[in-house]
Amino acid sequence: MLNLEIFKEIQPEEISENAFKLIGKDWMLVTSSADDKINTMTASWGGFGVLWGKNVAYIVVRPQRYTKEFIDKSGRFSLTFFNDSFRSKLSYLGTVSGRDEDKIKKSGLTVSENSEIPFFEEGKLAAICKVLYKQKLTPDSFLDSSIADRWYPDHDFHTLYVAEIEKVFVKSN
């Protein structure tokens, strides 16, 4: 349940933080639920923009990531962004699989939800997203083959998800 004492809803256009810093430097948790279970993963690749007349977020998820199964089943996910004091928790959540242990419980983070989509109360910003498009990246689509060679030596190409940003929540200060 969303705690309105902690968060307020804003429009996606009101996100004031730099997306390059939020995603590439600060990292984010990509979280989804399916079959009464929740899983999350740390990510530092993605972005925000406008596509098909909608405010969207895009993320990429490798096929072996457990969170991918949840996104594929539910068609929805959240992106939660944190301040620097949570860096070690994000690192832990990015290296341990939810298949092997209850990593969310072990992280000590508090799950909140809106429209049945989980995100974390400790975050400074959370976006609730609905998948509009997904496609697996393919080696023949790279115009610069050195990218595929560098980032995909095991040929475990990401799936690209483009998702409508349905809601954005920020900490109420």
Side-chain angles (χ1 to χ4, degrees), residues 97-118:
S97 175
R99 285 186 187 100
D100 302 328
E101 63 184 59
D102 188 346
K103 68 181 186 175
I104 293 174
K105 183 177 181 180
K106 283 189 175 184
S107 76
L109 294 177
T110 309
V111 176
S112 189
E113 70 175 41
N114 184 268
S115 303
E116 300 179 7
I117 305 304

PDB file of all heavy atoms in Angstrom, residues 97-118:
ATOM      1  N   SER A  97      20.894 -13.665  -6.581  1.00  0.00           N
ATOM      2  CA  SER A  97      19.657 -14.004  -7.280  1.00  0.00           C
ATOM      3  C   SER A  97      18.525 -14.275  -6.294  1.00  0.00           C
ATOM      4  O   SER A  97      18.725 -14.967  -5.289  1.00  0.00           O
ATOM      5  CB  SER A  97      19.841 -15.235  -8.166  1.00  0.00           C
ATOM      6  OG  SER A  97      18.592 -15.604  -8.739  1.00  0.00           O
ATOM      7  N   GLY A  98      17.341 -13.761  -6.629  1.00  0.00           N
ATOM      8  CA  GLY A  98      16.146 -14.057  -5.852  1.00  0.00           C
ATOM      9  C   GLY A  98      15.717 -15.508  -5.958  1.00  0.00           C
ATOM     10  O   GLY A  98      14.887 -15.967  -5.186  1.00  0.00           O
ATOM     11  N   ARG A  99      16.284 -16.241  -6.900  1.00  0.00           N
ATOM     12  CA  ARG A  99      16.014 -17.686  -6.985  1.00  0.00           C
ATOM     13  C   ARG A  99      16.641 -18.426  -5.809  1.00  0.00           C
ATOM     14  O   ARG A  99      16.170 -19.474  -5.401  1.00  0.00           O
ATOM     15  CB  ARG A  99      16.614 -18.270  -8.270  1.00  0.00           C
ATOM     16  CG  ARG A  99      15.888 -17.966  -9.526  1.00  0.00           C
ATOM     17  CD  ARG A  99      16.543 -18.751 -10.693  1.00  0.00           C
ATOM     18  NE  ARG A  99      15.978 -18.370 -11.946  1.00  0.00           N
ATOM     19  CZ  ARG A  99      16.540 -17.522 -12.808  1.00  0.00           C
ATOM     20  NH1 ARG A  99      17.707 -16.971 -12.541  1.00  0.00           N
ATOM     21  NH2 ARG A  99      15.943 -17.232 -13.939  1.00  0.00           N
ATOM     22  N   ASP A 100      17.754 -17.866  -5.307  1.00  0.00           N
ATOM     23  CA  ASP A 100      18.554 -18.546  -4.294  1.00  0.00           C
ATOM     24  C   ASP A 100      18.238 -18.156  -2.863  1.00  0.00           C
ATOM     25  O   ASP A 100      18.501 -18.920  -1.937  1.00  0.00           O
ATOM     26  CB  ASP A 100      20.042 -18.301  -4.554  1.00  0.00           C
ATOM     27  CG  ASP A 100      20.464 -18.782  -5.936  1.00  0.00           C
ATOM     28  OD1 ASP A 100      19.885 -19.770  -6.437  1.00  0.00           O
ATOM     29  OD2 ASP A 100      21.365 -18.148  -6.524  1.00  0.00           O
ATOM     30  N   GLU A 101      17.734 -16.959  -2.668  1.00  0.00           N
ATOM     31  CA  GLU A 101      17.435 -16.488  -1.311  1.00  0.00           C
ATOM     32  C   GLU A 101      16.447 -15.331  -1.379  1.00  0.00           C
ATOM     33  O   GLU A 101      16.229 -14.754  -2.440  1.00  0.00           O
ATOM     34  CB  GLU A 101      18.713 -16.049  -0.597  1.00  0.00           C
ATOM     35  CG  GLU A 101      19.417 -14.870  -1.232  1.00  0.00           C
ATOM     36  CD  GLU A 101      20.733 -14.530  -0.528  1.00  0.00           C
ATOM     37  OE1 GLU A 101      21.625 -15.395  -0.464  1.00  0.00           O
ATOM     38  OE2 GLU A 101      20.838 -13.386  -0.052  1.00  0.00           O
ATOM     39  N   ASP A 102      15.861 -14.995  -0.234  1.00  0.00           N
ATOM     40  CA  ASP A 102      14.957 -13.850  -0.156  1.00  0.00           C
ATOM     41  C   ASP A 102      15.810 -12.594  -0.005  1.00  0.00           C
ATOM     42  O   ASP A 102      15.990 -12.066   1.086  1.00  0.00           O
ATOM     43  CB  ASP A 102      13.977 -14.012   1.011  1.00  0.00           C
ATOM     44  CG  ASP A 102      12.899 -12.946   1.020  1.00  0.00           C
ATOM     45  OD1 ASP A 102      13.039 -11.926   0.307  1.00  0.00           O
ATOM     46  OD2 ASP A 102      11.917 -13.122   1.766  1.00  0.00           O
ATOM     47  N   LYS A 103      16.352 -12.141  -1.119  1.00  0.00           N
ATOM     48  CA  LYS A 103      17.303 -11.034  -1.080  1.00  0.00           C
ATOM     49  C   LYS A 103      16.647  -9.720  -0.690  1.00  0.00           C
ATOM     50  O   LYS A 103      17.306  -8.859  -0.104  1.00  0.00           O
ATOM     51  CB  LYS A 103      18.061 -10.913  -2.404  1.00  0.00           C
ATOM     52  CG  LYS A 103      17.228 -10.491  -3.595  1.00  0.00           C
ATOM     53  CD  LYS A 103      18.114 -10.437  -4.829  1.00  0.00           C
ATOM     54  CE  LYS A 103      17.398  -9.881  -6.039  1.00  0.00           C
ATOM     55  NZ  LYS A 103      18.306  -9.746  -7.169  1.00  0.00           N
ATOM     56  N   ILE A 104      15.374  -9.546  -0.993  1.00  0.00           N
ATOM     57  CA  ILE A 104      14.695  -8.306  -0.590  1.00  0.00           C
ATOM     58  C   ILE A 104      14.621  -8.238   0.932  1.00  0.00           C
ATOM     59  O   ILE A 104      14.953  -7.218   1.533  1.00  0.00           O
ATOM     60  CB  ILE A 104      13.300  -8.195  -1.235  1.00  0.00           C
ATOM     61  CG1 ILE A 104      13.448  -8.028  -2.757  1.00  0.00           C
ATOM     62  CG2 ILE A 104      12.521  -7.035  -0.631  1.00  0.00           C
ATOM     63  CD1 ILE A 104      12.144  -8.060  -3.533  1.00  0.00           C
ATOM     64  N   LYS A 105      14.224  -9.344   1.556  1.00  0.00           N
ATOM     65  CA  LYS A 105      14.164  -9.375   3.024  1.00  0.00           C
ATOM     66  C   LYS A 105      15.548  -9.144   3.616  1.00  0.00           C
ATOM     67  O   LYS A 105      15.703  -8.359   4.546  1.00  0.00           O
ATOM     68  CB  LYS A 105      13.601 -10.722   3.489  1.00  0.00           C
ATOM     69  CG  LYS A 105      13.433 -10.815   4.983  1.00  0.00           C
ATOM     70  CD  LYS A 105      12.802 -12.127   5.391  1.00  0.00           C
ATOM     71  CE  LYS A 105      12.631 -12.188   6.890  1.00  0.00           C
ATOM     72  NZ  LYS A 105      12.011 -13.447   7.307  1.00  0.00           N
ATOM     73  N   LYS A 106      16.550  -9.814   3.069  1.00  0.00           N
ATOM     74  CA  LYS A 106      17.911  -9.663   3.592  1.00  0.00           C
ATOM     75  C   LYS A 106      18.456  -8.247   3.400  1.00  0.00           C
ATOM     76  O   LYS A 106      19.293  -7.796   4.164  1.00  0.00           O
ATOM     77  CB  LYS A 106      18.859 -10.673   2.940  1.00  0.00           C
ATOM     78  CG  LYS A 106      18.703 -12.067   3.490  1.00  0.00           C
ATOM     79  CD  LYS A 106      19.795 -12.975   2.975  1.00  0.00           C
ATOM     80  CE  LYS A 106      19.700 -14.332   3.622  1.00  0.00           C
ATOM     81  NZ  LYS A 106      20.792 -15.218   3.232  1.00  0.00           N
ATOM     82  N   SER A 107      17.966  -7.540   2.370  1.00  0.00           N
ATOM     83  CA  SER A 107      18.451  -6.172   2.129  1.00  0.00           C
ATOM     84  C   SER A 107      17.941  -5.194   3.172  1.00  0.00           C
ATOM     85  O   SER A 107      18.531  -4.131   3.371  1.00  0.00           O
ATOM     86  CB  SER A 107      18.013  -5.690   0.743  1.00  0.00           C
ATOM     87  OG  SER A 107      16.625  -5.338   0.740  1.00  0.00           O
ATOM     88  N   GLY A 108      16.826  -5.533   3.812  1.00  0.00           N
ATOM     89  CA  GLY A 108      16.245  -4.639   4.801  1.00  0.00           C
ATOM     90  C   GLY A 108      15.406  -3.526   4.200  1.00  0.00           C
ATOM     91  O   GLY A 108      14.918  -2.658   4.929  1.00  0.00           O
ATOM     92  N   LEU A 109      15.213  -3.530   2.887  1.00  0.00           N
ATOM     93  CA  LEU A 109      14.391  -2.501   2.253  1.00  0.00           C
ATOM     94  C   LEU A 109      12.912  -2.818   2.448  1.00  0.00           C
ATOM     95  O   LEU A 109      12.526  -3.983   2.575  1.00  0.00           O
ATOM     96  CB  LEU A 109      14.711  -2.397   0.764  1.00  0.00           C
ATOM     97  CG  LEU A 109      16.105  -1.891   0.410  1.00  0.00           C
ATOM     98  CD1 LEU A 109      16.311  -1.900  -1.105  1.00  0.00           C
ATOM     99  CD2 LEU A 109      16.343  -0.497   0.970  1.00  0.00           C
ATOM    100  N   THR A 110      12.088  -1.773   2.452  1.00  0.00           N
ATOM    101  CA  THR A 110      10.661  -1.892   2.700  1.00  0.00           C
ATOM    102  C   THR A 110       9.890  -1.813   1.392  1.00  0.00           C
ATOM    103  O   THR A 110       9.984  -0.821   0.665  1.00  0.00           O
ATOM    104  CB  THR A 110      10.188  -0.745   3.625  1.00  0.00           C
ATOM    105  OG1 THR A 110      11.028  -0.699   4.771  1.00  0.00           O
ATOM    106  CG2 THR A 110       8.744  -0.942   4.040  1.00  0.00           C
ATOM    107  N   VAL A 111       9.135  -2.861   1.100  1.00  0.00           N
ATOM    108  CA  VAL A 111       8.339  -2.895  -0.124  1.00  0.00           C
ATOM    109  C   VAL A 111       7.052  -2.102   0.090  1.00  0.00           C
ATOM    110  O   VAL A 111       6.352  -2.284   1.081  1.00  0.00           O
ATOM    111  CB  VAL A 111       8.001  -4.342  -0.531  1.00  0.00           C
ATOM    112  CG1 VAL A 111       7.077  -4.368  -1.748  1.00  0.00           C
ATOM    113  CG2 VAL A 111       9.269  -5.138  -0.809  1.00  0.00           C
ATOM    114  N   SER A 112       6.773  -1.228  -0.841  1.00  0.00           N
ATOM    115  CA  SER A 112       5.497  -0.531  -0.921  1.00  0.00           C
ATOM    116  C   SER A 112       4.911  -0.908  -2.263  1.00  0.00           C
ATOM    117  O   SER A 112       5.574  -1.568  -3.066  1.00  0.00           O
ATOM    118  CB  SER A 112       5.726   0.981  -0.818  1.00  0.00           C
ATOM    119  OG  SER A 112       4.494   1.658  -0.684  1.00  0.00           O
ATOM    120  N   GLU A 113       3.682  -0.527  -2.531  1.00  0.00           N
ATOM    121  CA  GLU A 113       3.152  -0.826  -3.858  1.00  0.00           C
ATOM    122  C   GLU A 113       2.072   0.164  -4.236  1.00  0.00           C
ATOM    123  O   GLU A 113       1.454   0.795  -3.387  1.00  0.00           O
ATOM    124  CB  GLU A 113       2.646  -2.257  -3.972  1.00  0.00           C
ATOM    125  CG  GLU A 113       1.405  -2.568  -3.204  1.00  0.00           C
ATOM    126  CD  GLU A 113       0.902  -3.988  -3.473  1.00  0.00           C
ATOM    127  OE1 GLU A 113       1.715  -4.920  -3.561  1.00  0.00           O
ATOM    128  OE2 GLU A 113      -0.317  -4.132  -3.610  1.00  0.00           O
ATOM    129  N   ASN A 114       1.904   0.289  -5.536  1.00  0.00           N
ATOM    130  CA  ASN A 114       0.823   1.073  -6.100  1.00  0.00           C
ATOM    131  C   ASN A 114       0.315   0.305  -7.301  1.00  0.00           C
ATOM    132  O   ASN A 114       1.120  -0.152  -8.117  1.00  0.00           O
ATOM    133  CB  ASN A 114       1.301   2.467  -6.500  1.00  0.00           C
ATOM    134  CG  ASN A 114       0.152   3.302  -7.003  1.00  0.00           C
ATOM    135  OD1 ASN A 114      -0.111   3.319  -8.201  1.00  0.00           O
ATOM    136  ND2 ASN A 114      -0.535   3.964  -6.100  1.00  0.00           N
ATOM    137  N   SER A 115      -0.980   0.150  -7.393  1.00  0.00           N
ATOM    138  CA  SER A 115      -1.592  -0.616  -8.479  1.00  0.00           C
ATOM    139  C   SER A 115      -0.968  -2.010  -8.574  1.00  0.00           C
ATOM    140  O   SER A 115      -0.726  -2.526  -9.659  1.00  0.00           O
ATOM    141  CB  SER A 115      -1.452   0.115  -9.809  1.00  0.00           C
ATOM    142  OG  SER A 115      -2.023   1.399  -9.736  1.00  0.00           O
ATOM    143  N   GLU A 116      -0.653  -2.582  -7.417  1.00  0.00           N
ATOM    144  CA  GLU A 116      -0.071  -3.914  -7.300  1.00  0.00           C
ATOM    145  C   GLU A 116       1.337  -4.028  -7.882  1.00  0.00           C
ATOM    146  O   GLU A 116       1.840  -5.118  -8.118  1.00  0.00           O
ATOM    147  CB  GLU A 116      -0.994  -4.972  -7.915  1.00  0.00           C
ATOM    148  CG  GLU A 116      -2.356  -5.023  -7.251  1.00  0.00           C
ATOM    149  CD  GLU A 116      -3.290  -6.050  -7.860  1.00  0.00           C
ATOM    150  OE1 GLU A 116      -2.858  -6.836  -8.729  1.00  0.00           O
ATOM    151  OE2 GLU A 116      -4.456  -6.058  -7.458  1.00  0.00           O
ATOM    152  N   ILE A 117       1.984  -2.904  -8.118  1.00  0.00           N
ATOM    153  CA  ILE A 117       3.368  -2.899  -8.599  1.00  0.00           C
ATOM    154  C   ILE A 117       4.275  -2.499  -7.435  1.00  0.00           C
ATOM    155  O   ILE A 117       4.139  -1.408  -6.883  1.00  0.00           O
ATOM    156  CB  ILE A 117       3.546  -1.924  -9.783  1.00  0.00           C
ATOM    157  CG1 ILE A 117       2.558  -2.243 -10.897  1.00  0.00           C
ATOM    158  CG2 ILE A 117       4.984  -1.963 -10.281  1.00  0.00           C
ATOM    159  CD1 ILE A 117       2.623  -3.667 -11.420  1.00  0.00           C
ATOM    160  N   PRO A 118       5.206  -3.371  -7.041  1.00  0.00           N
ATOM    161  CA  PRO A 118       6.057  -3.076  -5.892  1.00  0.00           C
ATOM    162  C   PRO A 118       7.178  -2.095  -6.233  1.00  0.00           C
ATOM    163  O   PRO A 118       7.692  -2.075  -7.346  1.00  0.00           O
ATOM    164  CB  PRO A 118       6.636  -4.448  -5.528  1.00  0.00           C
ATOM    165  CG  PRO A 118       6.613  -5.215  -6.810  1.00  0.00           C
ATOM    166  CD  PRO A 118       5.440  -4.707  -7.591  1.00  0.00           C
TER     167      PRO A 118
END
